[in-house]
Short mmCIF file of all heavy atoms in Angstrom, two decimals:
data_model
loop_
_atom_site.label_atom_id
_atom_site.label_comp_id
_atom_site.label_asym_id
_atom_site.label_seq_id
_atom_site.Cartn_x
_atom_site.Cartn_y
_atom_site.Cartn_z
N LYS A 1 -2.77 -0.27 -7.76
CA LYS A 1 -3.21 -1.38 -8.59
C LYS A 1 -4.44 -2.02 -8.07
O LYS A 1 -5.38 -2.36 -8.79
CB LYS A 1 -2.08 -2.36 -8.83
CG LYS A 1 -2.48 -3.55 -9.68
CD LYS A 1 -2.86 -3.13 -11.09
CE LYS A 1 -3.78 -4.01 -11.82
NZ LYS A 1 -4.20 -3.51 -13.23
N THR A 2 -4.47 -2.40 -6.74
CA THR A 2 -5.43 -3.34 -6.21
C THR A 2 -6.60 -2.72 -5.44
O THR A 2 -7.57 -3.40 -5.12
CB THR A 2 -4.77 -4.38 -5.33
OG1 THR A 2 -4.32 -3.76 -4.08
CG2 THR A 2 -3.58 -5.00 -6.01
N ASN A 3 -6.57 -1.41 -5.23
CA ASN A 3 -7.71 -0.73 -4.52
C ASN A 3 -8.97 -1.04 -5.31
O ASN A 3 -10.03 -1.30 -4.64
CB ASN A 3 -7.48 0.78 -4.43
CG ASN A 3 -8.69 1.57 -3.92
OD1 ASN A 3 -9.37 2.20 -4.63
ND2 ASN A 3 -8.85 1.41 -2.58
N LYS A 4 -8.90 -0.99 -6.61
CA LYS A 4 -10.06 -1.30 -7.45
C LYS A 4 -9.46 -1.48 -8.89
O LYS A 4 -8.70 -0.64 -9.36
CB LYS A 4 -11.15 -0.19 -7.46
CG LYS A 4 -12.51 -0.65 -7.70
CD LYS A 4 -13.54 0.34 -7.37
CE LYS A 4 -14.97 -0.14 -7.51
NZ LYS A 4 -15.99 0.89 -7.20
N TYR A 5 -9.90 -2.48 -9.55
CA TYR A 5 -9.26 -2.75 -10.85
C TYR A 5 -9.94 -2.09 -12.07
O TYR A 5 -9.30 -1.88 -13.07
CB TYR A 5 -9.25 -4.28 -11.15
CG TYR A 5 -8.42 -5.06 -10.11
CD1 TYR A 5 -9.08 -6.02 -9.34
CD2 TYR A 5 -7.09 -4.91 -9.97
CE1 TYR A 5 -8.42 -6.75 -8.36
CE2 TYR A 5 -6.35 -5.60 -9.07
CZ TYR A 5 -7.01 -6.57 -8.26
OH TYR A 5 -6.29 -7.27 -7.32
N SER A 6 -11.16 -1.80 -11.89
CA SER A 6 -11.93 -1.29 -13.05
C SER A 6 -11.81 0.15 -13.36
O SER A 6 -11.98 0.56 -14.52
CB SER A 6 -13.47 -1.58 -12.88
OG SER A 6 -13.97 -1.02 -11.68
N PRO A 7 -11.36 1.11 -12.48
CA PRO A 7 -11.35 2.52 -12.83
C PRO A 7 -10.20 2.82 -13.77
O PRO A 7 -9.13 2.11 -13.81
CB PRO A 7 -11.15 3.30 -11.48
CG PRO A 7 -11.53 2.28 -10.40
CD PRO A 7 -11.23 0.90 -10.98
N CYS A 8 -10.35 3.88 -14.51
CA CYS A 8 -9.35 4.29 -15.47
C CYS A 8 -8.08 4.86 -14.81
O CYS A 8 -7.05 5.10 -15.43
CB CYS A 8 -9.88 5.33 -16.48
SG CYS A 8 -10.55 6.85 -15.73
N ASN A 9 -8.16 5.13 -13.45
CA ASN A 9 -7.03 5.69 -12.76
C ASN A 9 -6.22 4.59 -11.99
O ASN A 9 -5.35 4.98 -11.24
CB ASN A 9 -7.36 6.82 -11.79
CG ASN A 9 -8.43 6.47 -10.80
OD1 ASN A 9 -8.64 5.32 -10.53
ND2 ASN A 9 -9.08 7.48 -10.22
N ALA A 10 -6.59 3.39 -12.15
CA ALA A 10 -5.79 2.31 -11.58
C ALA A 10 -4.51 2.13 -12.33
O ALA A 10 -4.51 2.25 -13.60
CB ALA A 10 -6.56 1.00 -11.59
N SER A 11 -3.40 1.86 -11.68
CA SER A 11 -2.14 1.68 -12.41
C SER A 11 -2.12 0.40 -13.13
O SER A 11 -2.51 -0.65 -12.59
CB SER A 11 -0.97 1.75 -11.34
OG SER A 11 -0.60 3.05 -11.05
N GLU A 12 -1.67 0.50 -14.38
CA GLU A 12 -1.54 -0.71 -15.26
C GLU A 12 -0.14 -1.10 -15.48
O GLU A 12 0.11 -2.23 -15.97
CB GLU A 12 -2.25 -0.50 -16.58
CG GLU A 12 -3.73 0.04 -16.43
CD GLU A 12 -4.74 -1.06 -16.07
OE1 GLU A 12 -4.32 -2.03 -15.40
OE2 GLU A 12 -5.87 -0.98 -16.43
N SER A 13 0.77 -0.18 -15.21
CA SER A 13 2.24 -0.44 -15.47
C SER A 13 2.99 -0.02 -14.29
O SER A 13 2.81 1.05 -13.71
CB SER A 13 2.71 0.39 -16.70
OG SER A 13 2.05 -0.06 -17.90
N LEU A 14 3.99 -0.83 -13.93
CA LEU A 14 4.89 -0.57 -12.81
C LEU A 14 6.31 -0.55 -13.31
O LEU A 14 6.80 -1.46 -13.87
CB LEU A 14 4.78 -1.67 -11.72
CG LEU A 14 5.66 -1.56 -10.53
CD1 LEU A 14 5.29 -0.33 -9.69
CD2 LEU A 14 5.51 -2.82 -9.64
N LEU A 15 6.94 0.65 -13.21
CA LEU A 15 8.34 0.82 -13.60
C LEU A 15 9.16 0.92 -12.31
O LEU A 15 8.78 1.60 -11.33
CB LEU A 15 8.50 2.14 -14.41
CG LEU A 15 7.63 2.23 -15.67
CD1 LEU A 15 7.88 3.59 -16.30
CD2 LEU A 15 7.90 1.09 -16.61
N VAL A 16 10.29 0.22 -12.23
CA VAL A 16 11.10 0.13 -11.07
C VAL A 16 12.57 0.51 -11.45
O VAL A 16 13.15 -0.15 -12.38
CB VAL A 16 11.06 -1.25 -10.43
CG1 VAL A 16 11.81 -1.26 -9.09
CG2 VAL A 16 9.59 -1.65 -10.20
N ALA A 17 13.19 1.47 -10.72
CA ALA A 17 14.54 1.76 -10.93
C ALA A 17 15.47 0.54 -10.59
O ALA A 17 15.25 -0.11 -9.54
CB ALA A 17 14.94 2.94 -10.12
N ARG A 18 16.48 0.31 -11.41
CA ARG A 18 17.37 -0.87 -11.16
C ARG A 18 17.96 -0.92 -9.83
O ARG A 18 18.04 -1.99 -9.18
CB ARG A 18 18.39 -0.85 -12.22
CG ARG A 18 19.26 -2.14 -12.27
CD ARG A 18 20.05 -2.23 -13.55
NE ARG A 18 19.28 -2.63 -14.68
CZ ARG A 18 18.92 -1.85 -15.69
NH1 ARG A 18 19.39 -0.55 -15.78
NH2 ARG A 18 18.20 -2.23 -16.68
N GLY A 19 18.28 0.20 -9.23
CA GLY A 19 18.96 0.29 -7.97
C GLY A 19 18.15 -0.17 -6.73
O GLY A 19 18.68 -0.49 -5.75
N VAL A 20 16.76 -0.21 -6.85
CA VAL A 20 15.92 -0.62 -5.78
C VAL A 20 15.14 -1.85 -6.17
O VAL A 20 14.39 -2.37 -5.28
CB VAL A 20 14.98 0.52 -5.37
CG1 VAL A 20 15.72 1.73 -4.89
CG2 VAL A 20 14.02 0.85 -6.51
N ALA A 21 15.28 -2.41 -7.36
CA ALA A 21 14.49 -3.48 -7.84
C ALA A 21 14.64 -4.75 -6.98
O ALA A 21 13.60 -5.41 -6.60
CB ALA A 21 14.77 -3.87 -9.33
N ALA A 22 15.86 -5.03 -6.54
CA ALA A 22 16.11 -6.29 -5.79
C ALA A 22 15.39 -6.27 -4.45
O ALA A 22 14.93 -7.32 -3.91
CB ALA A 22 17.59 -6.60 -5.65
N GLU A 23 15.28 -5.07 -3.89
CA GLU A 23 14.60 -4.92 -2.56
C GLU A 23 13.06 -4.77 -2.72
O GLU A 23 12.35 -5.35 -1.94
CB GLU A 23 15.22 -3.72 -1.83
CG GLU A 23 14.62 -3.61 -0.38
CD GLU A 23 15.26 -2.48 0.39
OE1 GLU A 23 16.10 -1.70 -0.16
OE2 GLU A 23 14.82 -2.23 1.53
N PHE A 24 12.72 -4.02 -3.67
CA PHE A 24 11.22 -3.66 -3.86
C PHE A 24 10.42 -4.78 -4.44
O PHE A 24 9.35 -5.08 -3.99
CB PHE A 24 11.14 -2.35 -4.69
CG PHE A 24 9.74 -2.04 -5.10
CD1 PHE A 24 8.85 -1.50 -4.15
CD2 PHE A 24 9.28 -2.31 -6.35
CE1 PHE A 24 7.52 -1.16 -4.50
CE2 PHE A 24 7.94 -2.03 -6.69
CZ PHE A 24 7.09 -1.40 -5.84
N LEU A 25 10.88 -5.34 -5.56
CA LEU A 25 10.00 -6.26 -6.31
C LEU A 25 9.58 -7.50 -5.49
O LEU A 25 8.42 -7.91 -5.65
CB LEU A 25 10.78 -6.66 -7.60
CG LEU A 25 10.64 -5.70 -8.81
CD1 LEU A 25 11.48 -6.18 -9.95
CD2 LEU A 25 9.18 -5.48 -9.14
N PRO A 26 10.45 -8.17 -4.76
CA PRO A 26 9.92 -9.25 -3.95
C PRO A 26 8.82 -8.91 -2.99
O PRO A 26 7.86 -9.72 -2.79
CB PRO A 26 11.21 -9.79 -3.23
CG PRO A 26 12.37 -9.29 -4.03
CD PRO A 26 11.90 -8.05 -4.57
N GLN A 27 8.86 -7.71 -2.46
CA GLN A 27 7.81 -7.29 -1.49
C GLN A 27 6.49 -7.01 -2.20
O GLN A 27 5.46 -7.40 -1.77
CB GLN A 27 8.28 -6.02 -0.76
CG GLN A 27 9.51 -6.30 0.18
CD GLN A 27 9.87 -5.08 0.98
OE1 GLN A 27 9.03 -4.43 1.62
NE2 GLN A 27 11.18 -4.81 0.99
N ILE A 28 6.55 -6.23 -3.25
CA ILE A 28 5.34 -5.93 -3.96
C ILE A 28 4.81 -7.20 -4.75
O ILE A 28 3.65 -7.40 -4.82
CB ILE A 28 5.51 -4.73 -4.98
CG1 ILE A 28 4.09 -4.28 -5.44
CG2 ILE A 28 6.34 -5.15 -6.21
CD1 ILE A 28 3.16 -3.69 -4.36
N GLY A 29 5.73 -7.98 -5.15
CA GLY A 29 5.35 -9.26 -5.80
C GLY A 29 4.63 -10.19 -4.92
O GLY A 29 3.61 -10.81 -5.37
N ALA A 30 5.00 -10.27 -3.65
CA ALA A 30 4.27 -11.14 -2.71
C ALA A 30 2.90 -10.62 -2.47
O ALA A 30 1.93 -11.46 -2.35
CB ALA A 30 5.09 -11.15 -1.33
N ILE A 31 2.72 -9.28 -2.45
CA ILE A 31 1.43 -8.75 -2.31
C ILE A 31 0.52 -9.04 -3.43
O ILE A 31 -0.64 -9.44 -3.35
CB ILE A 31 1.45 -7.26 -1.94
CG1 ILE A 31 2.09 -6.99 -0.57
CG2 ILE A 31 0.10 -6.53 -2.03
CD1 ILE A 31 2.39 -5.55 -0.22
N TYR A 32 1.05 -8.76 -4.69
CA TYR A 32 0.32 -9.01 -5.87
C TYR A 32 -0.08 -10.52 -5.96
O TYR A 32 -1.16 -10.87 -6.41
CB TYR A 32 1.05 -8.57 -7.12
CG TYR A 32 1.17 -7.04 -7.33
CD1 TYR A 32 2.07 -6.54 -8.11
CD2 TYR A 32 0.25 -6.16 -6.64
CE1 TYR A 32 2.16 -5.09 -8.36
CE2 TYR A 32 0.33 -4.81 -6.84
CZ TYR A 32 1.32 -4.31 -7.64
OH TYR A 32 1.38 -2.93 -7.87
N ALA A 33 0.86 -11.39 -5.64
CA ALA A 33 0.67 -12.78 -5.71
C ALA A 33 -0.50 -13.20 -4.78
O ALA A 33 -1.39 -13.98 -5.15
CB ALA A 33 1.93 -13.56 -5.40
N ALA A 34 -0.52 -12.65 -3.58
CA ALA A 34 -1.54 -13.02 -2.62
C ALA A 34 -2.95 -12.50 -3.07
O ALA A 34 -3.91 -13.10 -2.67
CB ALA A 34 -1.20 -12.32 -1.21
N LYS A 35 -2.94 -11.47 -3.90
CA LYS A 35 -4.24 -10.89 -4.35
C LYS A 35 -4.67 -11.43 -5.73
O LYS A 35 -5.58 -10.95 -6.33
CB LYS A 35 -4.20 -9.35 -4.27
CG LYS A 35 -4.05 -8.80 -2.89
CD LYS A 35 -4.14 -7.25 -2.89
CE LYS A 35 -4.01 -6.75 -1.43
NZ LYS A 35 -4.06 -5.27 -1.38
N GLY A 36 -3.80 -12.35 -6.28
CA GLY A 36 -4.11 -12.87 -7.56
C GLY A 36 -3.81 -12.00 -8.73
O GLY A 36 -4.45 -12.17 -9.81
N VAL A 37 -2.90 -11.07 -8.62
CA VAL A 37 -2.52 -10.15 -9.69
C VAL A 37 -1.45 -10.81 -10.58
O VAL A 37 -0.31 -11.13 -10.08
CB VAL A 37 -2.04 -8.80 -9.20
CG1 VAL A 37 -1.61 -7.89 -10.34
CG2 VAL A 37 -3.11 -8.08 -8.38
N GLU A 38 -1.70 -10.96 -11.87
CA GLU A 38 -0.74 -11.47 -12.72
C GLU A 38 0.31 -10.37 -13.12
O GLU A 38 -0.08 -9.23 -13.37
CB GLU A 38 -1.40 -11.97 -14.05
CG GLU A 38 -0.44 -12.53 -15.06
CD GLU A 38 -1.04 -12.84 -16.41
OE1 GLU A 38 -2.27 -13.07 -16.44
OE2 GLU A 38 -0.37 -12.94 -17.48
N MET A 39 1.59 -10.74 -13.10
CA MET A 39 2.64 -9.76 -13.41
C MET A 39 3.26 -10.16 -14.70
O MET A 39 3.82 -11.27 -14.90
CB MET A 39 3.70 -9.73 -12.25
CG MET A 39 3.15 -9.16 -10.97
SD MET A 39 4.17 -9.47 -9.56
CE MET A 39 3.56 -11.14 -9.04
N ARG A 40 3.13 -9.29 -15.73
CA ARG A 40 3.76 -9.47 -16.99
C ARG A 40 5.00 -8.63 -17.07
O ARG A 40 4.92 -7.39 -17.28
CB ARG A 40 2.77 -9.13 -18.13
CG ARG A 40 1.51 -10.00 -18.08
CD ARG A 40 0.54 -9.71 -19.21
NE ARG A 40 -0.68 -10.53 -19.10
CZ ARG A 40 -1.70 -10.36 -19.92
NH1 ARG A 40 -1.68 -9.51 -20.94
NH2 ARG A 40 -2.78 -11.19 -19.78
N GLY A 41 6.21 -9.24 -16.95
CA GLY A 41 7.42 -8.44 -16.78
C GLY A 41 8.38 -8.60 -17.87
O GLY A 41 8.32 -9.51 -18.70
N CYS A 42 9.35 -7.65 -17.84
CA CYS A 42 10.56 -7.77 -18.69
C CYS A 42 11.43 -8.89 -18.10
O CYS A 42 11.27 -9.31 -16.97
CB CYS A 42 11.27 -6.46 -18.69
SG CYS A 42 12.01 -5.99 -17.11
N PRO A 43 12.40 -9.46 -18.93
CA PRO A 43 13.22 -10.55 -18.43
C PRO A 43 13.92 -10.22 -17.10
O PRO A 43 13.99 -11.15 -16.19
CB PRO A 43 14.21 -10.80 -19.57
CG PRO A 43 13.49 -10.32 -20.79
CD PRO A 43 12.63 -9.15 -20.32
#
C-alpha cells in the first residue's frame, strides 16, 4: 500500500481472514495510521 500510492499495482483493498484479524489488524492499522492512510472498513 505505502511504497508508492500512485502506481496501478499498489494494493487498494486489504482482506483479512477472521482467524488472524484480532492479531494482524492492530499492527497494520498502527502503521497505516502513522503514515496517514485512511482505512475504509467493514463493521
